[in-house]
Amino acid sequence: MKLITIEDDVLTEEQIARVDGIKRPSFPWYSDDHTDFPGDGNPQFTHLFYQNIQFQQSNYLELLYPLLGKIRPFAILKIKANLNLATSKESIFHIDYGEVEDRVYPEMKSLVKTSIFYLDDDLGGTEFESGEFVETKRNRLVTFPSGMKHRSVKHTQEGARRFVVNFNYIPFMSEQNAPSEATI
């Protein structure tokens, strides 16, 4: 069974134009002093769209409706966008939603998925501890079990910005049980 799935051309041009709203100059980004762990010395900008542990929901969540319509999650745990500037500093292998370990029944941990949506071409990628590598490609969605350690491979292209959206969620157990579109 393949653990990592890659889907290209996930959204139509109209749909991706909506998601591209996060690239507008007026979109609110927040500075984090870390990428993977507090104190890692690898800053980035983030926008938290949704988190269920301490319920938070962004006023901009509707920009992601086309993606949620493709993913069709049973339960959303967290949705966060990352904006990375050029750097030669490496990220650390991690799992995105480690806090889930302490908050769900052990049987549920294996159900949690991570999906990463890329909004740019040729700006780094995602490397897995297993050695597999997924190149950044606009309109690409990569999905894998949340327990798989991975890291962002940063880009070094001066002046470029790398935009990704991370989804942590529990999927429906089968496609036939999933609705044809996501609802929030």
Side-chain angles (χ1 to χ4, degrees):
M1 179 173 97
K2 188 156 174 75
L3 296 177
I4 302 168
T5 60
I6 301 169
E7 299 173 70
D8 288 332
D9 303 318
V10 173
L11 301 178
T12 65
E13 286 304 313
E14 182 179 310
Q15 291 172 323
I16 199 164
R18 184 175 185 177
V19 178
D20 273 341
I22 71 172
K23 292 181 167 187
R24 289 187 204 124
S26 61
F27 187 80
W29 290 96
Y30 303 92
S31 177
D32 273 343
D33 65 351
H34 65 281
T35 298
D36 305 312
F37 300 100
D40 68 11
N42 204 356
Q44 70 176 349
F45 295 93
T46 63
H47 183 93
L48 186 62
F49 283 97
Y50 182 88
Q51 180 172 264
N52 75 347
I53 289 177
Q54 298 171 323
F55 183 76
Q56 294 176 297
Q57 183 172 320
S58 166
N59 292 332
Y60 296 89
L61 185 60
E62 67 184 30
L63 293 174
L64 303 183
Y65 284 0
L67 281 166
L68 287 167
K70 296 296 180 184
I71 295 171
R72 300 179 325 194
F74 174 73
I76 302 169
L77 303 175
K78 186 176 183 179
I79 304 171
K80 183 180 79 151
N82 297 330
L83 163 58
N84 300 113
L85 304 176
T87 182
S88 59
K89 188 162 178 71
E90 281 191 353
S91 290
I92 299 167
F93 285 108
H94 65 279
I95 58 174
D96 286 344
Y97 204 66
E99 349 27 77
V100 78
E101 299 287 325
D102 300 327
R103 295 182 178 1
V104 299
Y105 292 107
E107 311 80 56
M108 291 183 67
K109 287 187 243 182
S110 64
L111 301 177
V112 181
K113 298 281 186 189
T114 294
S115 288
I116 302 172
F117 184 75
Y118 304 104
L119 281 100
D120 304 291
D121 284 318
D122 304 322
L123 293 175
T126 303
E127 181 181 14
F128 293 86
E129 196 172 48
S130 63
E132 294 172 86
F133 180 78
V134 178
E135 184 179 347
T136 296
K137 181 179 177 191
R138 181 173 172 76
N139 205 6
R140 173 177 278 174
L141 184 72
V142 59
T143 301
F144 52 93
S146 286
M148 283 186 75
K149 286 194 171 187
H150 63 283
R151 68 177 173 184
S152 170
V153 175
K154 307 295 185 179
H155 71 93
T156 56
Q157 186 177 330
E158 192 65 38
R161 299 173 301 163
R162 178 179 187 245
F163 295 89
V164 300
V165 182
N166 293 314
F167 297 84
N168 304 112
Y169 60 97
I170 298 172
F172 279 89
M173 291 306 295
S174 70
E175 278 297 310
Q176 62 204 49
N177 291 332
S180 59
E181 291 185 13
T183 55
I184 294 189

